[in-house]
Each structure stands twice: as structure tokens, then as C-alpha cells.
Amino acid sequence: MLECDKMTLIKRSIYIIIYYIAVGTFTTLSFSALLTSYANTQTLQNGLSQESIYFSIQAENAPNVKVNQLLDELKKQSSSFLLYKDEGNSYAKSIYLHNYIFPMMTSSERQITSVPPGNVILDKSLLNNTVIQENDFFFLYNGKYYKVKDSFIWINKYINIDSKFFVALEQDQISSGQYSVDGINLTKLEVALNKLNQTASISYSIIPANQSYTERIRLALQDQAFIVIVFAVSLLLMLLSIFGTTVSWIQSRRDELRIRHLVGATASDLRKWLLKDYWPLLLFSFAIGCILAWVIAKMAIFNAIIKEVSIWGSLLSFLFCLMIGTLTAVISIYRYGYKNRKSELEEALLP
């Protein structure tokens, strides 16, 4: 008898089950994508650590201040550091290693501790764009040929995207520009820049690479903007239909409600009974939806924007579905009672 009642309940609730399977699948994928993007914001560009620092130098009024002067001051403060300088584009960086290991795995799997002048380290796929002279590879950049010291396998991180190649920093150029440094703390960097300022009038600004939680959330939302927009629109459309579906589900059980009311059940008892039946349906549907989300992630169907399903993403999705489902059920119960308040049964459902 109990099994028969369960099957009857499932048959009457088929539309609610389908709805929450879809919601469970979509929210699990969406929350997992957002959490993955948020975690990726902690992985900085080009192998920089969380202790690295961004800084800029403005030396327009002191054009004789060269990069080698900056390097001399930095060497006084640290025996080992990595320095990048922006090249004015998103795919290249100038690099200087001072007793520091190149932070990305090279194709030759050897450790690079220096990049001589006129050399470049580039993405392995760019080797197709090189020329060979005397058994050496040369890469053309800004009208100049650089000797390829080594290559690495470029990985698309979507957030804090790595550069495609690194050219040796030209030390005789003007020091003005945007930099990132690893291996020197904030205090020592300020000392080096202040000393440079004393010898030649420059201005500078410093920004820690370690971003705030607010900034990381902003970057994650920006990275998953498509997911966020689709999530919001889909949720709105689904909410417009789920209330009617839930009210219809309550309506299909009016005979049971009437019998329970006639044998003494109060309006509060009826609400609790409906929720007691509604929650298992929600949990059952969510479990199926969550499994579908894991299958979709494993099949890499949406690999460009959703790479994996995480446990935390599933948990957030569950809490979200439980909250939305409970709110929908409660509102629908009151809505059903309000629309049918003249009947004896619905009067019992009113507060």
C-alpha cells in the first residue's frame, strides 16, 4: 500500500520532478563554474606567487634613468628575484632573472636561471613561427630576431592569462613602464625605488598582487559573465512557471486535503503535511540533477566555460534549491488557499 502511495505521488508530481532536475543540473554547473573561477583568481599571471608586487615607474622628467639603474637598486635589496616588464600588449613580457628559476615548466624540463640579452622563451606552439639559422631557432618580434632559449607549454587559464613569450629585458632602455616583481617584499621594494628617486627624479606607484576578496569575486563574475546572465534569465523564466505547477500539484491532492481536514487537521497541519511530501520530491529531483551535472562535466560538453563540478558547488546548489523550493511551496500553499478561500478546505489553509 505504501509503495502504491509513493508511485501515485510521483506520478502526480512528474512536472515538479522534471523542473527540479533541470534546476539542480543547471545550478550545480553554474555554482561550480563560479567557484572554479574564484579559485583561479588566486593563480597569478606568468607563475607569479601571492607575495609578488606590481609597480609602475614614471620617469618622463628623467629620461636618463635606465632599467639597469633599477636592477642595481633591486639587487642591493634581494639576492634572488624575478622581474617582468610590460611590453604594451597581452601576449609578451620582458623578463629578467636574478638567481631565480623561471617559474614555468619548460619543454626541455631544465631550470632556467637567466635569460641572456637577445634571447626569448616562447610558447611551444610558436616554434612554427621561427626560423632556423645554424641549428638555432630565432623568433621575430618588433622587427628584431631573438634567439630561442627554450619553450614552454602555454595553458589557457581564462583569468590572469599567461603571456605567450618572454623576451630578455633590455637594460639600456628608459625605466618608465609597468612592472611585476617576485622575490622582493614591499618594504625592500620601497627602499629600492626611494633610492632611485633620490638619484633621479621619478615617481612610482605600488600595488600588491594579492587581490582582495571583493576584487576576486568581481573577476570571477566577469570571467563567468555568460553563466551569470543565463542563470539569472533562466531562473526568472522558471520561477514564472513553477508557482502554477506547484499550485496544480496541491490542487491534484484536494481530496486528501479534504479528508485530513474533516478528521481534524488544522491549516498548520495541512501545510506541514504538504511540505513533508514536497521536500522528498525536491531532494530526489536534485540528486538526479546533480548526477547529470557531474556526467555533463565529465563529458566536457561545456568545457570552454564549465571545466568541473565541485563538491562545494553541489552543496551551494543544494542549499539554493532547498531555499527556492521551500519558498515556492510555502507561497503556493498560501496562494492556493487565497484563491479558494470560500471552500471549507481552503479556509483551513488560511492563516
Side-chain angles (χ1 to χ4, degrees):
M1 183 68 179
L2 185 60
E3 292 296 327
C4 182
D5 291 341
K6 287 182 178 180
M7 290 302 299
T8 301
L9 177 61
I10 291 176
K11 288 179 180 179
R12 289 178 176 176
S13 311
I14 190 66
Y15 291 112
I16 290 178
I17 292 174
I18 293 173
Y19 169 82
Y20 281 113
I21 288 176
V23 172
T25 303
F26 186 65
T27 55
T28 299
L29 291 171
S30 299
F31 280 119
S32 294
L34 285 169
L35 289 176
T36 299
S37 289
Y38 179 78
N40 287 341
T41 59
Q42 201 165 14
T43 303
L44 299 181
Q45 185 185 40
N46 300 326
L48 292 172
S49 72
Q50 290 296 309
E51 289 71 39
S52 59
I53 304 170
Y54 301 132
F55 69 95
S56 63
I57 294 178
Q58 298 83 39
E60 289 80 2
N61 298 326
N64 293 326
V65 180
K66 305 295 185 181
V67 170
N68 54 17
Q69 293 174 261
L70 170 63
L71 294 174
D72 288 341
E73 294 298 337
L74 293 177
K75 290 174 184 177
K76 293 176 184 177
Q77 301 301 320
S78 176
S79 59
S80 174
F81 63 85
L82 159 68
L83 182 71
Y84 289 129
K85 185 180 185 216
D86 286 0
E87 284 286 309
N89 56 68
S90 60
Y91 50 84
K93 283 277 197 276
S94 292
I95 183 173
Y96 182 82
L97 299 172
H98 179 59
N99 300 324
Y100 198 99
I101 299 174
F102 182 66
M104 284 178 276
M105 179 64 70
T106 60
S107 300
S108 63
E109 298 186 358
R110 60 173 175 164
Q111 294 183 338
I112 297 177
T113 56
S114 66
V115 184
N119 278 236
V120 62
I121 305 173
L122 48 74
D123 169 25
K124 189 175 182 179
S125 65
L126 293 178
L127 289 175
N128 295 326
N129 299 329
T130 59
V131 295
I132 303 176
Q133 296 179 5
E134 298 179 358
N135 296 324
D136 288 322
F137 290 91
F138 287 85
F139 181 72
L140 180 63
Y141 174 62
N142 281 346
K144 179 180 177 180
Y145 279 99
Y146 288 83
K147 181 180 177 181
V148 177
K149 184 175 180 66
D150 210 327
S151 62
F152 62 94
I153 298 176
W154 186 81
I155 300 175
N156 189 353
K157 298 177 181 176
Y158 296 94
I159 297 180
N160 298 321
I161 301 174
D162 286 343
S163 301
K164 282 283 192 174
F165 58 90
F166 306 90
V167 297
L169 180 61
E170 296 181 7
Q171 301 182 29
D172 59 348
Q173 64 177 302
I174 298 174
S175 61
S176 295
Q178 305 287 331
Y179 296 85
S180 48
V181 64
D182 207 348
I184 300 179
N185 62 37
L186 180 59
T187 302
K188 291 183 177 181
L189 178 60
E190 287 179 334
V191 170
L193 293 176
N194 283 330
K195 287 186 176 180
L196 191 62
N197 185 39
Q198 292 171 6
T199 57
S201 180
I202 66 166
S203 58
Y204 64 86
S205 59
I206 299 175
I207 304 174
N210 192 8
Q211 297 164 324
S212 65
Y213 291 111
T214 303
E215 180 64 17
R216 291 180 63 191
I217 291 173
R218 185 192 68 79
L219 286 173
L221 291 175
Q222 180 179 325
D223 181 57
Q224 295 293 342
F226 177 78
I227 286 290
V228 173
I229 293 172
V230 173
F231 180 85
V233 173
S234 300
L235 181 63
L236 177 62
L237 294 175
M238 288 186 292
L239 284 177
L240 292 175
S241 62
I242 187 58
F243 286 110
T245 302
T246 306
V247 169
S248 298
W249 176 75
I250 298 171
Q251 177 70 27
S252 70
R253 312 191 69 187
R254 63 185 182 278
D255 292 340
E256 296 172 77
L257 289 168
R258 191 183 304 278
I259 293 173
R260 287 177 180 271
H261 173 60
L262 292 176
V263 297
T266 64
S268 178
D269 293 333
L270 293 175
R271 293 189 192 102
K272 291 178 182 178
W273 174 68
L274 286 170
L275 284 175
K276 186 178 178 182
D277 278 354
Y278 198 84
W279 280 328
L281 291 174
L282 192 155
L283 295 176
F284 171 73
S285 304
F286 174 80
I288 296 176
C290 188
I291 293 172
L292 283 175
W294 282 87
V295 171
I296 290 172
K298 290 294 183 183
M299 293 175 66
I301 296 176
F302 304 110
N303 192 50
I305 53 178
I306 302 172
K307 293 184 175 299
E308 61 180 343
V309 170
S310 64
I311 294 176
W312 282 108
S314 301
L315 179 60
L316 280 177
S317 176
F318 167 71
L319 294 175
F320 177 82
C321 289
L322 183 62
M323 179 184 69
I324 292 296
T326 302
L327 184 63
T328 299
V330 171
I331 293 175
S332 298
I333 290 170
Y334 277 96
R335 184 179 175 185
Y336 177 75
Y338 176 77
K339 286 185 176 181
N340 303 275
R341 60 183 179 275
K342 291 185 178 180
S343 77
E344 184 181 70
L345 173 61
E346 270 50 68
E347 286 178 1
L349 285 174
L350 291 172

